[in-house]
Amino acid sequence: MKLLYKLSLLLVLTVIVSCKETPKKTNETAKEVVAETNVIAYPDSWVSSRVSKAKERLNSTEAGKVIWNAMEAHGGLDTWYANGPISFHFNYQPLDGKTARDSYQTVDTWSNRAVHTSATDSTAHFGWTGEKSWVQAKDSTAFAYDTKFWALTPLWFVGHPFVLSGEGVNLELLKPTTFKGQDYNAVKVTFAAGTGDAPDDYYILYVNKETNKIAVMRYIVSYPEYFKDGGHAPEKFTEFVGEQIVDGITLPGGFKTYWTVKDDQPGDYITKIDFTEVSFESDLPKDFFDAPADAKILN
């Protein structure tokens, strides 16, 4: 659904971009005037300004050009922002019996706020307001994982390449590679010091040389709450499986994750990820991403 843009009301937005596993502040602060409304609304001028800045920044480097072309191939950064918040069902299923993470979620693509609802208990929720994480659940075991860690994680699967449009993102063009007989440009993504809670995370994206679409995301997890003495988990290799087009945006159909092994190849298949029921929202109330009054604030 396309967002109906409104004019003439004061709204101050703190724009926050997350790293894959945890909120990461990488975008500019935006101040816009939009019309009085009870729903989340942003003006055309805000979208145009943000897209223009990203285009100029990305096209100033060879690696950035690859990512900008990927954005165009996946439907365009302007469409991504104009469509409004994205909702989807994300079911992360480790194949070794470890904790699954299965939720319906809605993410504000402008300011990276998020609300999750358990797929098995519709009364259990958690989220990220842009400033703090929260959880609302009758059963303390409703979410058997770090919800702050996970609040924006799925966006860093489904939102590539668009999540790379903000400041604080560093891009490096690596030597070309091949995967399943196709040729790819490889772009390494790192983050400026002090960016978010896990600035040592990195991604390596495989961008098809012919279609400019992303097929693979290699990455590490360095979240300090998990690695208190520094370091990170072994690198993972995530294959984007199929595609789906929603309101002009080409998104993955799902994901398969492996350990990365010798010569940057996928090793053991370790996680199946279903990405379904995708839509863009245009009528969310202004307080949709606020922490509920009875929620437990986690930070």
Side-chain angles (χ1 to χ4, degrees):
M1 294 177 284
K2 297 295 181 183
L3 185 65
L4 299 177
Y5 294 104
K6 311 290 182 182
L7 299 173
S8 296
L9 184 243
L10 182 60
L11 177 63
V12 178
L13 246 205
T14 302
V15 179
I16 300 176
V17 172
S18 92
C19 181
K20 116 184 108 15
E21 310 280 352
T22 182
K24 189 177 287 293
K25 302 175 182 179
T26 58
N27 266 354
E28 311 88 17
T29 295
K31 295 183 180 180
E32 292 292 345
V33 176
V34 296
E36 181 67 48
T37 176
N38 291 322
V39 301
I40 297 171
Y42 300 86
D44 289 324
S45 59
W46 185 88
V47 173
S48 298
S49 174
R50 186 163 178 179
V51 171
S52 178
K53 290 177 181 178
K55 181 178 181 179
E56 181 179 2
R57 182 166 55 248
L58 290 171
N59 280 284
S60 66
T61 67
E62 291 304 309
K65 289 176 183 177
V66 172
I67 295 302
W68 176 258
N69 289 338
M71 291 179 182
E72 293 287 278
H74 282 269
L77 185 61
D78 51 349
T79 302
W80 171 256
Y81 285 135
N83 279 349
I86 185 172
S87 291
F88 52 91
H89 182 191
F90 195 85
N91 188 4
Y92 181 93
Q93 306 157 70
L95 302 181
D96 61 359
K98 291 183 179 179
T99 304
R101 303 171 192 185
D102 187 8
S103 66
Y104 295 93
Q105 57 201 269
T106 301
V107 181
D108 182 352
T109 58
W110 295 298
S111 60
N112 285 11
R113 300 174 293 173
V115 172
H116 291 241
T117 299
S118 168
T120 57
D121 179 359
S122 62
T123 68
H125 313 277
F126 69 92
W128 169 252
T129 69
E131 296 178 347
K132 55 192 175 185
S133 57
W134 56 270
V135 63
Q136 179 190 49
K138 297 176 183 177
D139 183 353
S140 61
T141 65
F143 302 108
Y145 49 88
D146 187 325
T147 53
K148 176 185 176 183
F149 173 84
W150 195 252
L152 288 171
T153 296
L155 181 64
W156 281 76
F157 282 83
V158 310
H160 280 298
F162 305 111
V163 291
L164 303 179
S165 63
E167 294 181 350
V169 175
N170 303 316
L171 303 172
E172 177 187 359
L173 190 62
L174 306 180
K175 67 179 182 179
T177 189
T178 59
F179 178 63
K180 292 188 173 180
Q182 297 289 313
D183 294 327
Y184 294 91
N185 286 309
V187 177
K188 185 172 184 178
V189 182
T190 57
F191 301 92
T195 301
D197 294 334
D200 294 333
D201 285 1
Y202 72 71
Y203 302 88
I204 297 174
L205 303 176
Y206 290 8
V207 182
N208 189 288
K209 285 191 173 184
E210 292 187 4
T211 67
N212 291 318
K213 293 179 179 178
I214 296 174
V216 169
M217 176 182 76
R218 290 163 42 201
Y219 69 94
I220 63 164
V221 177
S222 66
Y223 186 50
E225 289 299 310
Y226 288 177
F227 302 96
K228 296 185 181 297
D229 296 324
H232 57 79
E235 185 182 279
K236 294 181 179 180
F237 186 111
T238 294
E239 177 185 4
F240 290 26
V241 181
E243 66 179 34
Q244 53 188 312
I245 301 175
V246 182
D247 288 345
I249 295 296
T250 299
L251 298 159
F255 308 87
K256 295 177 70 174
T257 296
Y258 313 80
W259 291 119
T260 305
V261 295
K262 185 178 179 181
D263 298 325
D264 300 327
Q265 296 300 304
D268 292 338
Y269 178 29
I270 56 174
T271 309
K272 178 179 184 290
I273 304 173
D274 294 328
F275 172 46
T276 58
E277 300 176 63
V278 186
S279 64
F280 288 94
E281 308 298 333
S282 63
D283 56 358
L284 297 177
K286 279 185 175 181
D287 61 355
F288 183 85
F289 294 102
D290 293 350
D294 59 345
K296 178 181 179 181
I297 305 303
L298 302 180
N299 61 329

